């Protein structure tokens, strides 16, 4: 597992397929701020809540200069089903080999009900216009997280 990112670090570059199989890169968003959030699995309750919260606040976030990208280890086909079922407007990217999750330290050891296992660490990294990490939030909760981001960013 990679070191956790810190404010001021250069955000690791990535190019991943979206729900339609089109490649999307962090570099495509240069000049805009980007909220990159990592979630364990599409079509699960917590991840659905989080994705819907981002979608519900997308206009506010984009109006304040932020693009939103959600990344999970799901396949593009599953992301397409997730997007259609929940009417999501955020960009969803597939990281099946978990290289981007690892580069952002969003994949690692987790504990649940006394068991330790490897999995996606729900995380949000806010990248500034020049590609540097502005905020790095790890082990975030699915519920209420978007409202906290909006409050912390002063939007």
């Amino acid at each position: 597992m990679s070191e956790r990112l810190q404010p001021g670090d250069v955000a690791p570059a990535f190019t991943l397929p979206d729900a339609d199989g089109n490649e999307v890169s962090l570099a495509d968003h240069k000049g805009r701020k980007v909220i990159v959030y990592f979630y364990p699995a599409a079509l699960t309750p917590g991840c659905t809540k989080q994705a819907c919260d981002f979608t519900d606040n997308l206009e506010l976030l984009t109006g304040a200069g932020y693009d939103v990208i959600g990344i999970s280890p799901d396949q593009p086909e599953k992301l397409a089903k997730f997007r259609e079922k929940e009417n999501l407007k955020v960009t969803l990217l597939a990281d099946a080999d978990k290289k981007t999750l690892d580069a952002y330290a969003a994949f690692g050891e987790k504990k649940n009900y006394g068991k330790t296992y490897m999995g996606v660490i729900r995380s949000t990294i806010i990248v500034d216009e020049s590609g540097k990490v502005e905020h790095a939030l790890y082990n975030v909760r699915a519920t209420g997280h978007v409202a906290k981001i909006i409050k912390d960013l002063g939007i």
Side-chain angles (χ1 to χ4, degrees):
M1 184 175 132
S2 301
E3 285 279 313
R4 287 193 168 179
L5 297 174
Q6 301 294 324
D9 288 351
V10 173
F14 60 79
T15 301
L16 296 167
D18 69 8
D20 300 312
N22 302 313
E23 299 223 317
V24 175
S25 298
L26 181 60
D28 298 341
H29 297 270
K30 198 145 181 75
R32 287 193 50 89
K33 293 182 180 207
V34 186
I35 297 170
V36 183
Y37 78 96
F38 298 91
Y39 63 99
L43 300 166
T44 57
C47 298
T48 298
K49 174 79 179 109
Q50 188 177 22
C52 289
D53 276 357
F54 272 118
T55 293
D56 292 346
N57 289 286
L58 193 58
E59 216 171 280
L60 178 68
L61 292 165
T62 54
Y66 292 89
D67 293 336
V68 179
I69 298 173
I71 299 177
S72 73
D74 296 306
Q75 294 295 328
E77 301 77 30
K78 187 173 178 189
L79 297 179
K81 280 186 195 137
F82 188 33
R83 180 186 63 200
E84 303 313 315
K85 182 176 186 275
E86 302 299 337
N87 200 20
L88 301 173
K89 304 281 183 247
V90 296
T91 301
L92 299 174
L93 302 182
D95 184 22
D97 65 11
K98 302 177 186 76
K99 284 191 176 132
T100 301
L101 283 154
D102 195 48
Y104 279 78
F107 188 84
E109 202 172 89
K110 295 174 70 167
K111 284 185 173 41
N112 199 13
Y113 301 114
K115 289 194 178 2
T116 301
Y117 62 97
M118 296 299 282
V120 176
I121 299 162
R122 194 181 299 276
S123 312
T124 301
I125 309 300
I126 301 172
V127 181
D128 71 13
E129 302 89 340
S130 65
K132 285 203 164 50
V133 174
E134 202 171 275
H135 300 278
L137 311 162
Y138 291 95
N139 295 310
V140 301
R141 296 216 168 278
T143 306
H145 179 58
V146 176
K148 184 179 178 343
I149 290 173
I150 290 168
K151 182 174 178 269
D152 291 352
L153 295 175
I155 299 172

